[in-house]
Structure formats: C-alpha cells, structure tokens
Amino acid sequence: MLKRTELPKETDFPIGTKFYIFEWDVPLSKEPNKDGKTVSYFNWYGGNKKPYPIERLKIDNNWPADSFEQWLHIIEESMQ
C-alpha cells in the first residue's frame, strides 16, 4: 500500500465501512468489498492503510469506535 501523508476523511471510505479499535491503540476499518457480500479489514496505525488478518480478532480484543473522530484521533496519536 502507498504511504499517506494526510489523514483519511470519512468520505474516502466505501458506504457501510465500520471503524474499530483493536487493543486500545490500533485503528481498524472494516470495509465492504465491491461484491457487497464480503469485507476486508485494514490497519491504519501510523497513518498507512495495510491489510489486517481477520483471524487476529477475538470477541474481547476490539470494539467499535464511538465515532469517526475518535478513530481518527487514534491514527493521529499513532503518527507521533
């Protein structure tokens, strides 16, 4: 994936994207694929979008972000 120098905007994501926090400081996006039936997870830690293996997720190690702004703040902190 290409490195990004700016923060993503909510409009950069496909409709239906969900934003999660993994283990307190890793921002994940759950994005629907074009077929609408499957999803892909991406790790945004450090501001760079990277594929994230779904098998690492457990019921108690991630949760939905309260808001896109909260999720974006975690990205900002990871870039420092």
Side-chain angles (χ1 to χ4, degrees):
M1 295 278 164
L2 296 175
K3 290 192 174 193
R4 296 184 67 122
T5 56
E6 60 185 52
L7 293 171
K9 298 174 189 69
E10 196 166 7
T11 56
D12 294 335
F13 297 90
I15 294 172
T17 297
K18 305 289 184 193
F19 302 98
Y20 289 87
I21 301 167
F22 173 76
E23 294 197 354
W24 305 105
D25 65 350
V26 178
L28 301 177
S29 62
K30 178 183 176 185
E31 301 179 24
N33 293 331
K34 291 181 182 180
D35 66 12
K37 297 177 184 174
T38 57
V39 296
S40 295
Y41 284 82
F42 297 96
N43 174 349
W44 284 84
Y45 191 88
N48 301 316
K49 182 179 180 179
K50 300 168 283 297
Y52 188 82
I54 192 171
E55 58 271 4
R56 291 187 184 167
L57 298 176
K58 307 284 187 252
I59 290 175
D60 60 350
N61 70 0
N62 70 95
W63 51 89
D66 291 336
S67 65
F68 179 78
E69 291 74 21
Q70 177 197 29
W71 183 82
L72 196 61
H73 181 71
I74 291 173
I75 293 175
E76 289 176 311
E77 288 181 344
S78 74
M79 293 171 71
Q80 297 178 10

